[in-house]
Amino acid sequence: MKDQQLSKYLSLLLRHQPERIGLQLDEQGWTSVTELLEKLWRDGKRIHIEQLDRVVKTNNKKRFSFNADRTRIRANQGHSIKIDLAYEPADPPAILYHGTATRFLESIQAQGLLKRNRHHVHLSADQETARAVGQRHGKPCILSIDTAAMLAEGHQFFCSANGVWLCEQVPPQFLSYPL
């Protein structure tokens, strides 16, 4: 299995469907590296620790983390399954960005940004990342979020280990369209 294929498969397993290979995640999304590798082998994926380590280190989105002693692994954010990543509230930059497809703008203008089946709305600190995210869904557009005003109204923000900013929702009045 190539590194990019492994990264995508790990995203599926560690964020959405651990049961696919009988993997157990704890309440914070961690699983044993040994168990993961054993279950991958049983699933016909001949992955060694060296490749897993390389994928974690070189993933351009920094999707995965090892714990301090490298015996456990988890996805940093983006889960659709119930887990508690134990994020601490953090003060974001005054403006953050969200990339989306133009076909979603009407709904976003009416409802704002909603987490839907995820744990949080994902925001980025730079427009380039937001554009890359938006391109995955169609013709991209970038929305800017007035996070300073949101903080003043009591909204909380969190920053994941890979630098993705997270919040529960972004009401429409805090959005500027499109960049």
Side-chain angles (χ1 to χ4, degrees):
M1 177 176 267
K2 295 182 180 181
D3 286 0
Q4 185 177 14
Q5 291 171 309
L6 176 57
S7 178
K8 288 181 179 188
Y9 197 51
L10 288 174
S11 287
L12 176 70
L13 297 173
L14 298 177
R15 295 168 67 188
H16 309 294
Q17 297 178 13
E19 71 281 357
R20 185 180 198 117
I21 62 170
L23 195 61
Q24 296 294 314
L25 304 181
D26 71 13
E27 63 279 349
Q28 293 184 330
W30 294 103
T31 192
S32 159
V33 169
T34 302
E35 179 185 351
L36 172 64
L37 291 171
E38 287 172 1
K39 303 264 174 144
L40 285 169
W41 274 69
R42 280 192 224 141
D43 191 42
K45 314 293 190 288
R46 305 293 184 232
I47 307 304
H48 296 277
I49 186 65
E50 295 82 10
Q51 184 179 12
L52 182 64
D53 185 56
R54 186 173 59 246
V55 167
V56 170
K57 283 182 182 174
T58 63
N59 182 274
N60 64 337
K61 295 181 181 177
K62 304 293 180 205
R63 290 193 191 273
F64 316 105
S65 293
F66 288 116
N67 67 344
D69 66 5
R70 303 175 53 76
T71 59
R72 301 182 66 70
I73 187 172
R74 76 174 180 183
N76 288 321
Q77 44 58 231
H79 298 80
S80 61
I81 56 176
K82 186 175 169 112
I83 60 163
D84 177 9
L85 293 171
Y87 293 130
E88 292 292 324
D91 288 338
I95 302 290
L96 287 173
Y97 304 96
H98 181 81
T100 190
T102 55
R103 71 178 188 266
F104 300 129
L105 282 178
E106 188 175 324
S107 172
I108 291 170
Q109 288 171 329
Q111 300 177 26
L113 296 172
L114 305 174
K115 62 183 179 178
R116 305 229 183 256
N117 65 343
R118 291 192 172 193
H119 290 256
H120 296 95
V121 172
H122 295 195
L123 307 171
S124 47
D126 63 89
Q127 292 183 36
E128 296 79 28
T129 301
R131 184 174 316 286
V133 170
Q135 285 177 325
R136 293 187 325 204
H137 305 287
K139 184 179 176 191
C141 67
I142 302 169
L143 308 174
S144 62
I145 293 93
D146 185 350
T147 56
M150 286 182 68
L151 282 171
E153 287 202 13
H155 293 268
Q156 286 191 321
F157 291 85
F158 309 92
C159 190
S160 68
N162 61 345
V164 174
W165 285 92
L166 308 166
C167 63
E168 286 291 314
Q169 66 171 339
V170 179
Q173 66 267 29
F174 300 109
L175 293 167
S176 295
Y177 307 89
L179 296 174

